[in-house]
Amino acid sequence: MSNAQREQAARDVACVLPKRTHDLARLQILIDDSEPVVTVVGKYNHGKSSLLNELVGHEAFAVSDKRETVALSDRLVAGVRWLDAPGLDADVGTEDDRQALQAAWLRSDIRLFVHAAKEGELDASERELLAQLGEDENRTGRQTLFVLSQVDQLADDAELRKIGDAIANQVPGIVPNAVSAVRHRKGVEGGKALMLEKSGIPALHAALQSELARVPEARVRETALLFGEIGEELRQLKAAQDQTLHVLKHTQRQQRADFDRGLKTVIDKVSGEIEAMLDALTTDHALVPDTAKDVYAITAGKLERAHIQIAYSRACIEIDAFLAGHGVIELPAEQQTVASSLNSVMIAVMGVSVKFRKDLRRMFCEASGRERIQRDFTHYYERSADREALAEQIADTEAAIVATDKASAALHRMDA
Ligand SMILES: Nc1nc2c(ncn2[C@@H]2O[C@H](COP(=O)(O)OP(=O)(O)O)[C@@H](O)[C@H]2O)c(=O)[nH]1
Ligand SMILES: [Mg+2]
């Protein structure tokens, strides 16, 4: 798998599990499996860059009383990649610092947490970072070594012990590696073995070497852990999505079945009433055309037509009440006209008025007429706002399931 393919695969997973973006970035680094990475973390001016220089054996990183390390600097020495990160000081930190710290966090296998001895106890930001590193160590197995730096600035060993005790009080179980970059430099340059040893750098170096030896194994475990966690999260997500889809589809079917059954009952009821009414009629007066002299008169024909229209209206009102109860309130937007009084599903399916017996018979008393009404109302039911929203929810869930499946496949490819 090429780098580009792996990045694409990680993106496919991250778009489903955005909270795993950082873990996925770490996974890519683990899969690359290049040299072990050691990084320093801590506040600025606590001697981080100086410490790295002593550990790698030359002036690889800029040392200054000012804020020097602004971005990540990175050196490959003796098969180890050393990263110098900016200080974690929030008051002077910039967005670049934050990104550099995040990159250091992401890339490092071993962290050297540096705290200047003369500062005494740890402050709140240091304790918080140490706690985060501790949590990360518990989860991913990445080690943090605590370095008490610049110990040459203390008066004596008693003071060193006092500060060590105070810090151990703050962070139970912490093991301080006391060092002095200045003593180490003097020891190296003057060839003074005692000074070298007193600098604490050789001891830290040895501790670091034994941690470095464990990095390959730790990486294998971390890789398995991250694949395992992300894979499990995808499985759980998929199960939840399947369940959601199942419930939504069940609701969709159930609602439709209720509607179908209810509508048929209403249509059968009003049809029965209309049929009984029609059967009770005798001579059809409506078929006798009115004449000009009848304009203001009440004729038998007019009475009959009114009678038919009223029966028809009552049927419509009954069907309309049923439709309203199922959320069929208005026509789909594209079917609405400027005449708002005509924008009703009732009128779209049934027409405005009925005047003749044969029309009522055709609509209500023949199976084909009743089926047509049932079919047309069902069409508008499926186009009602609630039903369309439900259908959309189902489509969204199906799309989410496709994305989750794609993410699972991508994760498998990364793991291959
Ligand atoms: N006395 C003493 N000063 C040190 C020691 N290490 C670093 N310094 C000084 O502390 C200042 C900050 O050091 P630097 O390594 O740049 O700290 P960083 O900001 O944490 O990277 C510089 O002036 C260094 O010379 C040490 O072990 N002893
Ligand atoms: Mg520095």
Side-chain angles (χ1 to χ4, degrees), residues 113-156:
F113 188 101
V114 179
H115 173 78
K118 65 173 185 299
E119 299 293 330
E121 294 194 331
L122 302 170
D123 74 12
S125 68
E126 289 177 305
R127 284 207 304 276
E128 190 188 324
L129 181 60
L130 264 181
Q132 287 173 359
L133 289 166
E135 275 170 32
D136 189 64
E137 180 171 331
N138 287 338
R139 185 166 92 90
T140 66
R142 292 194 274 174
Q143 300 291 318
T144 297
L145 296 178
F146 182 73
V147 179
L148 200 54
S149 62
Q150 309 178 347
V151 294
D152 56 277
Q153 292 186 325
L154 302 179
D156 50 26

Side-chain angles (χ1 to χ4, degrees), residues 256-272:
R256 174 63 185 270
D258 289 349
F259 179 85
D260 287 347
R261 207 176 326 102
L263 182 60
K264 182 155 191 325
T265 305
V266 174
I267 291 174
D268 286 351
K269 175 170 176 274
V270 300
S271 296

